[in-house]
Amino acid sequence: MNLKELAKALELSQTTVSRALNGYPEVSAETRQRVEEMARKLGYAPNQQARRLATGRSMSIGHVIPRSLHEMMNPVFMEFIAGAGETYSRHGYDMIISVVEDPNVEDAYREIARRKKADAVMVHGPRMGDTRPALLRELGLPFLLHGRVPGEEETTSWIDVNNGRAFERATNLLLDLGHQRIALLNGLEDMDFAARRRAGFEKAHTDRGMTICPDLMRAADMTEPYGAESTRELLSSGNPPSAFLVSSMITAIGVARAIGECGLKIGTDISVITHDDALSFLPNSGEVPIFTCTRSSVRHAGTRAAELLIEKILPHPDVLINEHLEAELIVGQSTGPAPA
């Protein structure tokens, strides 16, 4: 199968087919999708070197990962990468992942720009006061944030779960069930997603005129031992919580383990709501899921982020893209009315 044969099957000119496969903005999205589907169906694979020469692009997307983010060891990151990688491949792009020490992040981006190693970059784990967006604008590298930098929502392109709204709804569910003392086991709160989740938790309380007890809130790397140890500590206190709101399924497994070790029953004695990234290897499934959860697929987020980067930002780098992904609130077996 060659370009001429593909064009004939589509009843389009070779020029139009070539431009559609190479991502030229003047080709409509409908035509591009039609060409890509036919190319997959007929097994046509364009010559990558020819594409690079024709377009002047590297046909690669860069991901620079600071070691402090712990993301290469994080299954959530790997699920995101799986979704993004499938999309890159479908559009004929390669993925470049660079894991660097924190002081070398700027140098890594400058090297990408200087050597034109990637046409654009995906930025992970934005924090308070993150300087990466300013650097990438200086370098002229198109980019998309997975998450947001506070204060730069109107000046950067991003895709993000509506974390504040998700945790506000989850907290309100627990309050509606009569829980007065709710523990929050959050991620590291210098990360934007965790700060927004805490804000949603606090808003649900303040909207009802309720005071939050700081002793019921924790923030750390979202591991199973963190969930178990925090839960044991809180349940052994003089005034324990009757419910937990948790930022990760992995942490929630530790919470459930500790509740059982204390001789209590989850969903009856203690209620638990967790955020569920819909990880393929850790399903919270069934007609009635084990955990009540705020669910948003991180794999879908990776797919959608890659689509936005390739289809929207690369053709029009000056146009800002802002997209919220709303989390579902799914009631499972882990919540019930507050004990009398």
Side-chain angles (χ1 to χ4, degrees):
M1 171 60 62
N2 57 36
L3 182 64
K4 182 178 180 180
E5 292 168 331
L6 177 61
K8 184 178 179 180
L10 287 158
E11 297 182 348
L12 295 171
S13 71
Q14 292 184 53
T15 300
T16 298
V17 172
S18 175
R19 287 177 175 272
L21 291 170
N22 288 317
Y24 281 84
E26 61 266 28
V27 179
S28 70
E30 181 181 351
T31 299
R32 184 181 298 113
Q33 182 178 358
R34 182 180 161 218
V35 170
E36 289 173 350
E37 287 176 353
M38 183 64 78
R40 287 195 296 273
K41 180 180 177 181
L42 298 180
Y44 174 77
N47 183 290
Q48 287 297 86
Q49 185 61 30
R51 291 184 70 176
R52 292 183 177 101
L53 290 172
T55 63
R57 293 179 177 175
S58 70
M59 302 307 296
S60 298
I61 305 296
H63 296 250
V64 176
I65 314 300
R67 286 192 184 276
S68 65
L69 290 181
H70 308 296
E71 290 200 351
M72 289 306 293
M73 298 176 287
N74 187 334
V76 174
F77 172 74
M78 298 310 297
E79 198 85 5
F80 180 94
I81 285 295
E86 290 168 358
T87 306
Y88 295 154
S89 179
R90 190 167 67 247
H91 286 80
Y93 279 79
D94 295 324
M95 181 192 304
I96 299 174
I97 298 180
S98 302
V99 183
V100 300
E101 300 295 340
D102 285 46
N104 299 332
V105 168
E106 181 174 328
D107 290 341
Y109 283 124
R110 291 190 182 280
E111 181 72 0
I112 288 173
R114 184 179 68 82
R115 296 181 58 189
K116 298 183 178 178
K117 293 170 66 177
D119 299 314
V121 295
M122 192 82 72
V123 180
H124 300 274
R127 298 175 180 270
M128 308 293 181
D130 204 313
T131 60
R132 288 174 293 175
L135 172 64
L136 293 170
R137 284 193 290 266
E138 174 196 325
L139 295 173
L141 264 177
F143 67 94
L144 178 68
L145 289 165
H146 179 213
R148 286 172 281 171
V149 175
E152 294 205 36
E153 292 91 341
E154 304 300 323
T155 59
T156 56
S157 288
W158 50 263
I159 181 171
D160 194 17
V161 176
N162 195 343
N163 286 291
R165 176 63 180 149
F167 269 46
E168 180 185 353
R169 291 179 67 202
T171 306
N172 275 321
L173 174 59
L174 292 170
L175 293 173
D176 288 342
L177 288 169
H179 296 280
Q180 299 292 307
R181 290 179 59 78
I182 305 169
L184 174 66
L185 301 189
N186 205 2
L188 293 166
E189 291 178 351
D190 63 335
M191 305 290 285
D192 179 70
F193 80 89
R196 293 181 189 275
R197 289 177 182 178
R198 177 177 179 136
F201 175 77
E202 292 175 340
K203 184 176 185 301
H205 283 84
T206 55
D207 283 352
R208 300 190 185 211
M210 299 177 67
T211 301
I212 302 170
C213 177
D215 292 343
L216 294 179
M217 293 189 283
R218 302 283 188 278
D221 279 322
M222 297 181 294
T223 64
E224 194 272 353
Y226 158 57
E229 292 163 11
S230 298
T231 301
R232 279 193 293 265
E233 177 190 343
L234 287 164
L235 291 180
S236 64
S237 66
N239 192 7
S242 63
F244 288 78
L245 180 55
V246 188
S247 263
S248 161
M249 274 284 291
I250 296 170
T251 305
I253 290 171
V255 172
R257 175 164 67 89
I259 290 171
E261 290 171 353
C262 292
L264 300 171
K265 185 177 179 181
I266 191 170
T268 302
D269 302 309
I270 304 291
S271 287
V272 178
I273 299 180
T274 183
H275 183 71
D276 178 8
D277 288 295
L279 302 178
S280 57
F281 69 93
L282 194 62
N284 180 32
S285 56
E287 187 174 338
V288 181
I290 296 170
F291 286 103
T292 296
C293 64
T294 56
R295 179 178 291 166
S296 179
S297 168
V298 71
R299 192 184 191 100
H300 169 70
T303 298
R304 184 62 182 149
E307 290 172 349
L308 292 173
L309 197 54
I310 293 171
E311 297 176 0
K312 304 288 187 182
I313 294 173
L314 276 177
H316 308 287
D318 295 329
V319 176
L320 293 178
I321 302 295
N322 300 154
E323 187 164 310
H324 259 138
L325 301 173
E326 294 294 340
E328 295 180 86
L329 180 57
I330 300 172
V331 176
Q333 303 173 40
S334 65
T335 48

